[in-house]
Amino acid sequence: QENRVFIPAAFSPNGDGKNDVFSIKGISIVKHLVIYSRWGTPVYERHNYVASDRSTGWDGTFKGDPLPGGTYVYFTEMECPSGGSFTRKGTVVLVR
């Protein structure tokens, strides 16, 4: 399952219906996802959610306000259907 996971390198929450939300694909359950600003401030965090539910993705906001374009760091822990879990970390570019 781990090799089927796709985490996008960039997204553009501009309301055009294309790539508006940062979401993980290829996995059922995300145990934990946290996204940090370049200053290390957590700007998005979710626990134990279904990855295919688009309403659970990050829309590029923090406390309801749009964040500036730039690079953000993520850390995620995902659950394998067969049991066990694995982690991924990396960066995502928010394009404005």
Side-chain angles (χ1 to χ4, degrees):
Q1 186 73 28
E2 189 172 344
N3 61 349
R4 292 192 202 149
V5 171
F6 173 74
I7 301 175
F11 75 114
S12 58
N14 58 11
D16 68 356
K18 298 176 186 166
N19 206 21
D20 285 333
V21 176
F22 174 78
S23 59
I24 299 170
K25 301 195 182 349
I27 191 78
S28 298
I29 302 295
V30 177
K31 293 175 78 170
H32 184 223
L33 170 64
V34 62
I35 299 171
Y36 299 94
S37 71
R38 64 180 166 190
W39 300 281
T41 303
V43 296
Y44 179 83
E45 189 165 13
R46 294 234 21 168
H47 295 275
N48 299 314
Y49 68 92
V50 177
S52 61
D53 180 354
R54 287 189 47 82
S55 70
T56 60
W58 181 45
D59 63 1
T61 63
F62 178 58
K63 296 184 178 179
D65 294 323
L67 288 168
T71 302
Y72 293 80
V73 175
Y74 67 83
F75 174 82
T76 183
E77 182 179 3
M78 295 163 275
E79 186 174 299
C80 290
S82 58
S85 62
F86 61 97
T87 61
R88 292 270 175 94
K89 59 185 174 182
T91 59
V92 60
V93 176
L94 189 159
V95 179
R96 290 276 181 211

